[in-house]
Amino acid sequence: MEETFILEEKKFSLLESHGEELTSKNYITDPAISRDEEIKEIILALLTPEKGALLVGKPGIGKTAIVEGLAYRIKNSLVPDALKGWKLYKLNMTSLMGSVDNENDNRIEILIRELKEKDKTIIFIDEVHLLVNRSENSGVDFANMLKPALDRGTIKMIGATTTEEYETYILRDRAFNRRFQKVDINEADGPTTVKILMGTLPKLEVQTGVNLAYTPFIKERLMNFIVDMTSEYKRIYEVASRYPDICLTILSNALSYALYDNEKEAKLKHIYKAIVNAKNIYQDAKDKAVEKFKIDFNDLILEENLNLDDIN
């Protein structure tokens, strides 16, 4: 007798195919160093009935890292009991545009149907202003479409946008705006950025397989120098030209130069290369930083027998 096997068709999951579960990631370090107050505000917003959190701040100041910091705390049970066991998914707004497999339904509608079957789920949408802008252009009120899922209290949402886009789009949509509590994310100051660099370095070392070959004291000297040379009025303003992104770029590039040289340790010459080739610093400010670097780290230059004039 032939046995008939009925295979159940796997249901399409937008969260799985277009999302990243941040609460299941392996975190080497806390992604949101010195951002406890901002995370506290987000948690309070999520614990408020019928509210989500809306992170507003300039580009490059770590809004996504703060959300990852919340995921890190949820994963390690460092949150109030009411949020323990929740899952946090990151969704890119551009991936939510359009239809799926030539279906008539757009991805937002599929997401909403999927969320109706979920419990204890937080969705994070970066560039959330595009949701409002798309609503205006299509005549569809996505804010109200999301409302039933959010009202149940078992689905929560975090959005992130820049200050300019918040004022241009979000403030004009009262229905969408009242679903959220605004959390202002300010650029980290210099000392905080040094802490972020020191705390993020172990993650960068694991990711690249390259270690920064110095004592904590010398590492902190280097971090202070990087932060000082990238202070506000020395920057060419682009997307990643703010603390901590502009500093993390220089630090990451230093480890990359060591990789390029087939070395497992990043040393002073690699830091110097990253500084000389920094793209987001005005040339005159960079020239001054290079000369100051030679003075501030003369002890290491002599110890390592370096001729920095031959390094570029």
Side-chain angles (χ1 to χ4, degrees):
M1 178 185 293
E2 292 186 4
E3 293 186 30
T4 302
F5 295 94
I6 301 175
L7 296 177
E8 183 179 347
E9 186 179 350
K10 187 177 179 181
K11 201 170 185 179
F12 175 81
S13 169
L14 192 140
L15 286 176
E16 291 181 8
S17 61
H18 293 279
E20 178 186 11
E21 188 189 336
L22 298 181
T23 39
S24 67
K25 285 180 64 174
N26 291 320
Y27 294 99
I28 299 165
T29 59
D30 181 353
I33 296 163
S34 297
R35 291 293 197 173
D36 290 338
E37 282 304 311
E38 291 91 338
I39 291 175
K40 179 180 178 180
E41 284 191 53
I42 296 170
I43 291 173
L44 288 171
L46 295 176
L47 295 178
T48 302
E50 301 183 6
K51 289 288 185 180
L54 181 61
L55 280 57
V56 179
K58 295 177 181 178
I61 60 174
K63 294 187 290 293
T64 299
I66 289 171
V67 176
E68 290 179 337
L70 172 62
Y72 170 86
R73 285 157 176 75
I74 292 173
K75 181 176 182 178
N76 291 283
S77 297
L78 301 174
V79 292
D81 291 345
L83 280 184
K84 289 179 180 177
W86 283 59
K87 294 183 177 181
L88 197 165
Y89 290 89
K90 176 185 177 183
L91 292 165
N92 191 303
M93 188 58 215
T94 56
S95 72
L96 296 179
M97 301 292 190
S99 59
V100 179
D101 297 332
N102 297 318
E103 292 184 15
N104 292 325
D105 294 340
N106 61 56
R107 290 191 177 109
I108 299 290
E109 292 167 333
I110 294 172
L111 172 63
I112 289 166
R113 285 204 299 270
E114 184 174 352
L115 289 176
K116 288 179 180 178
E117 301 175 4
K118 294 284 185 181
D119 285 320
K120 294 188 173 183
T121 301
I122 304 166
I123 57 171
F124 166 53
I125 299 180
D126 198 5
E127 298 185 288
V128 73
H129 61 276
L130 293 176
L131 198 63
V132 176
N133 192 31
R134 181 174 168 82
S135 298
E136 291 178 350
N137 294 335
S138 66
V140 179
D141 189 346
F142 288 115
N144 276 332
M145 290 172 66
L146 283 167
K147 186 176 178 180
L150 298 174
D151 280 349
R152 287 193 299 122
T154 56
I155 301 296
K156 289 288 185 176
M157 179 173 165
I158 301 171
T161 188
T162 65
T163 306
E164 181 180 352
E165 285 150 345
Y166 172 78
E167 293 171 353
T168 302
Y169 299 109
I170 305 293
L171 281 179
R172 290 164 49 189
D173 191 322
R174 294 182 181 178
F176 190 84
N177 195 33
R178 66 172 172 259
R179 310 298 309 166
F180 297 93
Q181 289 186 189
K182 182 185 176 192
V183 179
D184 289 308
I185 308 298
N186 297 315
E187 182 178 3
D189 61 18
T192 300
T193 304
V194 171
K195 290 179 183 177
I196 291 171
L197 293 177
M198 291 293 288
T200 307
L201 177 61
K203 180 181 79 171
L204 297 177
E205 290 177 327
V206 170
Q207 289 174 334
T208 60
V210 174
N211 293 322
L212 187 56
Y214 296 108
T215 64
F217 175 74
I218 295 176
K219 287 178 183 177
E220 190 164 348
R221 280 176 61 192
L222 289 165
M223 302 310 170
N224 273 293
F225 186 90
I226 291 171
V227 169
D228 181 65
M229 69 166 283
T230 54
S231 59
E232 184 175 3
Y233 297 107
K234 300 172 185 175
R235 309 171 192 161
I236 299 172
Y237 275 92
E238 295 173 356
V239 171
S241 294
R242 294 182 177 87
Y243 291 153
D245 271 17
I246 191 169
C247 301
L248 287 168
T249 298
I250 292 173
L251 182 58
S252 298
N253 287 346
L255 301 185
S256 297
Y257 279 119
L259 270 180
Y260 185 83
D261 291 340
N262 295 317
E263 296 183 24
K264 291 295 184 181
E265 287 189 330
K267 304 199 80 174
L268 200 68
K269 64 179 179 180
H270 302 118
I271 297 285
Y272 182 77
K273 282 183 183 181
I275 289 170
V276 169
N277 293 291
K279 304 296 185 185
N280 291 337
I281 309 297
Y282 289 115
Q283 189 61 47
D284 61 337
K286 187 161 62 175
D287 291 342
K288 291 176 183 176
V290 167
E291 293 308 312
K292 188 173 186 296
F293 185 89
K294 293 176 181 178
I295 296 170
D296 289 1
F297 296 99
N298 185 58
D299 56 333
L300 292 177
I301 293 170
L302 293 174
E303 183 180 320
E304 296 177 20
N305 195 28
L306 293 177
N307 183 356
L308 295 185
D309 293 331
D310 293 337
I311 297 174
N312 54 46

